[in-house]
Coordinates of all heavy atoms in Angstrom, one line a residue:
Chain A
G82 N 143.9 46.8 49.1 CA 143.8 48.2 49.6 C 144.1 48.3 51.1 O 144.5 47.4 51.7
C83 N 143.8 49.5 51.6 CA 144.2 49.8 53.0 C 143.2 49.2 53.9 O 142.2 48.6 53.5 CB 144.3 51.3 53.1 SG 142.7 52.2 52.8
A84 N 143.4 49.4 55.2 CA 142.5 48.9 56.2 C 141.0 49.4 56.0 O 140.1 48.6 56.1 CB 143.0 49.3 57.6
A85 N 140.9 50.6 55.6 CA 139.5 51.2 55.4 C 138.8 50.5 54.3 O 137.6 50.2 54.3 CB 139.6 52.7 55.2
A86 N 139.6 50.2 53.2 CA 139.0 49.6 52.0 C 138.6 48.2 52.4 O 137.5 47.7 52.0 CB 140.0 49.6 50.9
I87 N 139.4 47.5 53.2 CA 139.1 46.1 53.6 C 137.8 46.1 54.5 O 136.9 45.3 54.3 CB 140.3 45.4 54.2 CG1 141.4 45.2 53.2 CG2 139.9 44.1 54.9 CD1 142.8 44.9 53.7
A88 N 137.8 47.1 55.5 CA 136.7 47.1 56.4 C 135.4 47.5 55.7 O 134.4 46.9 56.0 CB 137.0 48.2 57.5
C89 N 135.5 48.4 54.7 CA 134.3 48.8 54.0 C 133.7 47.6 53.2 O 132.5 47.4 53.1 CB 134.6 50.0 53.0 SG 134.7 51.5 53.8
S90 N 134.6 46.8 52.6 CA 134.2 45.7 51.8 C 133.5 44.7 52.7 O 132.4 44.2 52.5 CB 135.4 45.0 51.2 OG 136.3 45.9 50.6
S91 N 134.2 44.4 53.8 CA 133.7 43.4 54.8 C 132.3 43.8 55.3 O 131.4 43.0 55.4 CB 134.7 43.2 55.9 OG 134.2 42.4 56.9
A92 N 132.2 45.1 55.7 CA 131.0 45.6 56.3 C 129.8 45.5 55.3 O 128.7 45.1 55.6 CB 131.1 47.0 56.8
T93 N 130.2 45.9 54.0 CA 129.2 45.9 53.0 C 128.6 44.5 52.7 O 127.4 44.3 52.6 CB 129.8 46.4 51.7 OG1 130.3 47.8 51.9 CG2 128.8 46.5 50.5
T94 N 129.5 43.5 52.7 CA 129.0 42.1 52.5 C 128.0 41.7 53.6 O 127.0 41.1 53.3 CB 130.1 41.1 52.5 OG1 130.8 41.1 53.7 CG2 131.1 41.4 51.3
E95 N 128.3 42.1 54.8 CA 127.4 41.7 55.9 C 126.1 42.5 55.8 O 125.0 42.0 56.1 CB 128.1 42.1 57.3 CG 129.1 41.1 57.7 CD 129.4 41.2 59.2 OE1 129.6 42.3 59.7 OE2 129.3 40.1 59.8
M96 N 126.2 43.7 55.3 CA 125.0 44.6 55.3 C 124.0 44.1 54.2 O 122.8 44.3 54.3 CB 125.3 46.0 55.0 CG 126.0 46.7 56.2 SD 126.7 48.3 55.8 CE 125.3 49.3 55.8
V97 N 124.5 43.6 53.1 CA 123.6 43.2 52.0 C 123.3 41.7 51.9 O 122.4 41.3 51.2 CB 124.1 43.7 50.6 CG1 124.3 45.2 50.6 CG2 125.4 43.0 50.2
K98 N 123.9 40.9 52.7 CA 123.7 39.5 52.6 C 122.2 39.2 53.1 O 121.8 39.6 54.1 CB 124.7 38.7 53.5 CG 124.8 37.3 53.2 CD 125.9 36.6 53.9 CE 125.9 35.1 53.7 NZ 127.0 34.5 54.3
G99 N 121.5 38.5 52.2 CA 120.1 38.1 52.6 C 119.1 39.2 52.1 O 117.9 38.9 52.1
K100 N 119.6 40.3 51.7 CA 118.7 41.4 51.2 C 118.3 41.2 49.8 O 119.0 40.5 49.0 CB 119.5 42.8 51.4 CG 119.8 43.2 52.8 CD 118.6 43.9 53.4 CE 118.8 44.0 54.9 NZ 119.9 44.8 55.4
T101 N 117.2 41.8 49.4 CA 116.8 41.7 48.0 C 117.8 42.6 47.2 O 118.4 43.5 47.8 CB 115.4 42.3 47.8 OG1 115.4 43.6 48.1 CG2 114.4 41.5 48.6
I102 N 117.8 42.4 45.9 CA 118.7 43.2 45.1 C 118.3 44.7 45.1 O 119.1 45.6 45.0 CB 119.0 42.7 43.7 CG1 117.7 42.5 42.9 CG2 119.7 41.3 43.7 CD1 118.0 42.1 41.4
E103 N 117.0 44.9 45.2 CA 116.5 46.3 45.3 C 117.0 47.0 46.5 O 117.5 48.1 46.5 CB 115.0 46.4 45.2 CG 114.4 46.1 43.9 CD 114.3 44.6 43.6 OE1 114.4 43.8 44.5 OE2 114.3 44.3 42.4
E104 N 116.9 46.3 47.6 CA 117.4 46.8 48.9 C 119.0 47.1 48.8 O 119.5 48.1 49.3 CB 117.2 45.8 50.0 CG 115.7 45.8 50.5 CD 115.4 44.7 51.4 OE1 116.0 43.6 51.3 OE2 114.5 44.8 52.2
A105 N 119.7 46.1 48.2 CA 121.1 46.3 48.1 C 121.5 47.5 47.2 O 122.5 48.2 47.5 CB 121.7 45.0 47.5
L106 N 120.7 47.7 46.2 CA 120.9 48.8 45.3 C 120.7 50.2 46.0 O 121.3 51.2 45.6 CB 120.0 48.8 44.0 CG 120.5 47.8 43.0 CD1 119.4 47.7 41.9 CD2 121.8 48.2 42.3
D107 N 119.9 50.1 47.1 CA 119.7 51.4 47.8 C 120.8 51.7 48.8 O 120.8 52.8 49.4 CB 118.4 51.2 48.7 CG 117.2 51.4 47.8 OD1 117.3 52.0 46.7 OD2 116.1 51.0 48.2
L108 N 121.7 50.8 49.0 CA 122.8 51.0 49.9 C 123.7 52.2 49.5 O 124.1 52.3 48.3 CB 123.7 49.8 50.0 CG 124.9 49.9 51.0 CD1 124.5 49.2 52.4 CD2 126.1 49.2 50.5
T109 N 123.9 53.1 50.4 CA 124.8 54.3 50.0 C 126.1 54.2 50.8 O 126.2 53.4 51.8 CB 124.1 55.6 50.4 OG1 124.1 55.6 51.8 CG2 122.8 55.8 49.8
N110 N 127.1 54.9 50.3 CA 128.4 54.9 51.0 C 128.2 55.4 52.5 O 128.9 55.0 53.4 CB 129.4 55.7 50.2 CG 129.3 57.2 50.4 OD1 128.2 57.8 50.1 ND2 130.3 57.9 50.9
Q111 N 127.3 56.3 52.7 CA 127.0 56.8 54.0 C 126.6 55.7 55.0 O 127.0 55.7 56.1 CB 126.0 58.0 54.0 CG 126.0 58.8 55.3 CD 127.3 59.3 55.8 OE1 128.0 60.0 55.0 NE2 127.7 59.1 57.0
D112 N 125.7 54.8 54.4 CA 125.3 53.7 55.2 C 126.5 52.9 55.7 O 126.6 52.4 56.8 CB 124.4 52.7 54.4 CG 123.1 53.4 54.0 OD1 122.7 54.4 54.7 OD2 122.5 53.0 52.9
V113 N 127.5 52.7 54.8 CA 128.7 51.9 55.1 C 129.5 52.7 56.2 O 129.9 52.0 57.2 CB 129.6 51.7 53.9 CG1 130.8 50.9 54.2 CG2 128.8 51.0 52.8
V114 N 129.6 54.0 56.0 CA 130.3 54.8 57.0 C 129.6 54.6 58.4 O 130.3 54.4 59.4 CB 130.4 56.3 56.6 CG1 131.1 57.1 57.7 CG2 131.2 56.4 55.3
N115 N 128.3 54.8 58.4 CA 127.5 54.7 59.6 C 127.7 53.3 60.3 O 127.9 53.2 61.5 CB 126.0 54.9 59.3 CG 125.7 56.3 58.9 OD1 126.6 57.2 59.0 ND2 124.6 56.6 58.3
E116 N 127.7 52.3 59.5 CA 127.9 50.9 60.0 C 129.3 50.8 60.7 O 129.4 50.2 61.7 CB 127.8 49.9 58.8 CG 128.2 48.5 59.2 CD 127.2 47.8 60.2 OE1 126.0 48.3 60.3 OE2 127.6 46.9 60.8
L117 N 130.3 51.5 60.1 CA 131.6 51.4 60.7 C 131.8 52.4 61.9 O 132.9 52.4 62.5 CB 132.7 51.6 59.6 CG 132.8 50.5 58.6 CD1 133.6 50.9 57.4 CD2 133.3 49.2 59.2
G118 N 130.8 53.2 62.1 CA 131.0 54.2 63.2 C 131.5 55.4 62.6 O 130.9 56.4 62.5
E119 N 132.8 55.4 62.2 CA 133.4 56.6 61.6 C 134.5 56.2 60.7 O 135.1 55.1 60.8 CB 133.9 57.6 62.6 CG 134.8 57.0 63.6 CD 135.4 58.0 64.6 OE1 135.5 59.2 64.3 OE2 135.7 57.6 65.8
L120 N 134.9 57.1 59.8 CA 135.9 56.8 58.8 C 136.7 58.1 58.7 O 136.1 59.2 58.6 CB 135.3 56.4 57.5 CG 136.0 55.4 56.6 CD1 136.3 54.1 57.4 CD2 135.1 55.0 55.5
P121 N 138.0 58.1 58.7 CA 138.7 59.4 58.5 C 138.3 60.0 57.1 O 138.1 59.2 56.2 CB 140.2 58.9 58.4 CG 140.3 57.6 59.1 CD 138.9 57.0 58.8
P122 N 138.2 61.3 57.0 CA 137.7 61.9 55.8 C 138.5 61.4 54.5 O 137.9 61.2 53.5 CB 138.0 63.4 56.0 CG 138.0 63.5 57.5 CD 138.5 62.3 58.1
A123 N 139.8 61.2 54.7 CA 140.6 60.8 53.5 C 140.2 59.4 53.1 O 140.6 59.0 52.0 CB 142.1 60.8 53.9
K124 N 139.5 58.7 53.9 CA 139.1 57.3 53.5 C 137.7 57.2 53.0 O 137.2 56.1 52.8 CB 139.3 56.4 54.8 CG 140.7 56.4 55.3 CD 141.7 55.8 54.4 CE 143.1 55.7 55.0 NZ 144.0 55.0 54.2
F125 N 137.0 58.3 52.9 CA 135.6 58.2 52.4 C 135.5 57.5 51.1 O 134.5 56.8 50.8 CB 135.0 59.6 52.3 CG 134.3 60.0 53.6 CD1 134.9 59.8 54.8 CD2 133.1 60.7 53.6 CE1 134.2 60.1 56.0 CE2 132.4 61.0 54.7 CZ 133.0 60.7 56.0
H126 N 136.5 57.7 50.2 CA 136.5 57.1 48.9 C 136.4 55.6 49.0 O 135.9 55.0 48.1 CB 137.6 57.6 48.1 CG 138.9 56.9 48.4 ND1 139.7 57.4 49.5 CD2 139.6 55.9 47.9 CE1 140.8 56.7 49.6 NE2 140.7 55.7 48.7
C127 N 136.8 55.0 50.1 CA 136.7 53.6 50.3 C 135.3 53.2 50.4 O 134.9 52.1 49.8 CB 137.5 53.1 51.5 SG 139.3 53.4 51.4
S128 N 134.5 54.0 51.1 CA 133.1 53.6 51.2 C 132.3 53.8 49.9 O 131.4 53.1 49.6 CB 132.4 54.5 52.3 OG 132.4 55.8 52.0
V129 N 132.8 54.8 49.1 CA 132.2 55.1 47.8 C 132.5 53.8 46.9 O 131.7 53.4 46.2 CB 132.8 56.3 47.2 CG1 132.3 56.5 45.7 CG2 132.5 57.6 48.0
L130 N 133.7 53.3 47.0 CA 134.1 52.1 46.2 C 133.2 51.0 46.6 O 132.7 50.2 45.7 CB 135.6 51.7 46.5 CG 136.7 52.4 45.7 CD1 138.0 51.7 46.1 CD2 136.5 52.2 44.2
A131 N 132.9 50.8 47.9 CA 132.0 49.7 48.3 C 130.6 49.8 47.7 O 130.1 48.9 47.2 CB 131.9 49.7 49.8
E132 N 130.1 51.1 47.7 CA 128.8 51.3 47.1 C 128.8 51.0 45.6 O 127.9 50.3 45.0 CB 128.3 52.7 47.3 CG 127.0 53.0 46.8 CD 126.6 54.5 46.7 OE1 127.0 55.3 47.6 OE2 126.0 55.0 45.8
Q133 N 129.9 51.5 44.9 CA 130.0 51.2 43.5 C 130.2 49.7 43.2 O 129.6 49.2 42.2 CB 131.2 51.9 42.9 CG 131.1 53.4 42.9 CD 132.4 54.1 42.5 OE1 133.5 53.5 42.6 NE2 132.3 55.4 42.2
A134 N 130.9 49.0 44.0 CA 131.1 47.6 43.8 C 129.8 46.8 43.9 O 129.6 45.9 43.0 CB 132.1 47.1 44.8
I135 N 129.0 47.1 44.9 CA 127.8 46.3 45.0 C 126.8 46.6 43.8 O 126.2 45.7 43.2 CB 127.1 46.5 46.4 CG1 125.9 45.6 46.5 CG2 126.7 47.9 46.6 CD1 126.2 44.1 46.7
K136 N 126.8 47.9 43.4 CA 125.9 48.3 42.3 C 126.4 47.6 41.0 O 125.6 47.1 40.2 CB 125.9 49.8 42.1 CG 125.2 50.5 43.2 CD 124.8 51.9 42.9 CE 123.7 52.5 43.7 NZ 124.1 52.9 45.1
K137 N 127.7 47.6 40.8 CA 128.3 47.0 39.6 C 128.0 45.4 39.6 O 127.8 44.9 38.5 CB 129.8 47.2 39.6 CG 130.3 47.3 38.1 CD 131.6 47.9 38.0 CE 132.2 47.7 36.6 NZ 133.6 48.1 36.5
A138 N 128.1 44.8 40.7 CA 127.9 43.4 40.8 C 126.5 43.0 40.5 O 126.2 42.1 39.7 CB 128.3 42.8 42.2
I139 N 125.5 43.8 40.9 CA 124.1 43.6 40.7 C 123.8 43.8 39.2 O 123.1 43.1 38.5 CB 123.2 44.5 41.6 CG1 123.4 44.0 43.0 CG2 121.8 44.4 41.1 CD1 122.7 44.9 44.1
E140 N 124.4 44.9 38.7 CA 124.3 45.2 37.2 C 124.8 44.0 36.4 O 124.1 43.6 35.4 CB 125.3 46.4 36.9 CG 124.6 47.6 36.3 CD 125.7 48.7 36.2 OE1 126.6 48.5 35.4 OE2 125.5 49.7 37.0

Side-chain angles (χ1 to χ4, degrees):
Chain A
C83 61
I87 292 164
C89 285
S90 317
S91 171
T93 301
T94 60
E95 282 202 308
M96 288 168 82
V97 300
K98 197 170 175 177
K100 295 273 165 64
T101 67
I102 58 173
E103 287 76 22
E104 285 167 330
L106 282 170
D107 280 342
L108 182 96
T109 66
N110 78 302
Q111 192 55 50
D112 296 334
V113 179
V114 175
N115 293 345
E116 172 66 21
L117 292 170
E119 55 179 327
L120 216 52
K124 303 290 183 176
F125 267 43
H126 73 277
C127 297
S128 67
V129 175
L130 274 184
E132 182 192 323
Q133 288 171 346
I135 185 72
K136 290 198 159 77
K137 207 164 172 191
I139 293 172
E140 237 171 69

